[in-house]
Amino acid sequence: SPLVKSSSAEVRKTAALHLASAGRVSTLPMLQQLMQDEDGYVRSYVRIGIHRAATEARSDAQFHMQAYE
């Protein structure tokens, strides 16, 4: 996704939060890429999104197992 590769950390943070919050297995490759981001806030937003997906019951066990590998 172009948003994941944006030169703007703000864009990458927003993408991280929304992709992770969706709780979908199809987003995991992008989330893995975002977890390697040089900006610590981007990495934090992935974690926040995953937490939201879990607490708001938007994800399934497969997402969680793969997200925490």
Side-chain angles (χ1 to χ4, degrees):
S1 167
L3 299 177
V4 172
K5 297 178 183 179
S6 173
S7 60
S8 167
E10 289 298 318
V11 170
R12 295 191 314 275
K13 284 191 298 189
T14 301
L17 184 61
H18 289 284
L19 288 168
S21 294
R24 296 185 182 185
V25 172
S26 63
T27 65
L28 288 171
M30 290 178 278
L31 296 177
Q32 290 169 344
Q33 184 177 352
L34 287 163
M35 284 302 293
Q36 301 301 316
D37 198 281
E38 63 187 30
D39 189 304
Y41 285 106
V42 172
R43 297 188 305 270
S44 294
Y45 275 49
V46 172
R47 291 184 201 99
I48 291 167
I50 290 171
H51 179 75
R52 283 185 183 177
T55 59
E56 296 173 12
R58 286 189 245 166
S59 57
D60 60 18
Q62 184 180 8
F63 175 82
H64 287 284
M65 286 180 15
Q66 292 182 15
Y68 289 108
E69 284 184 347

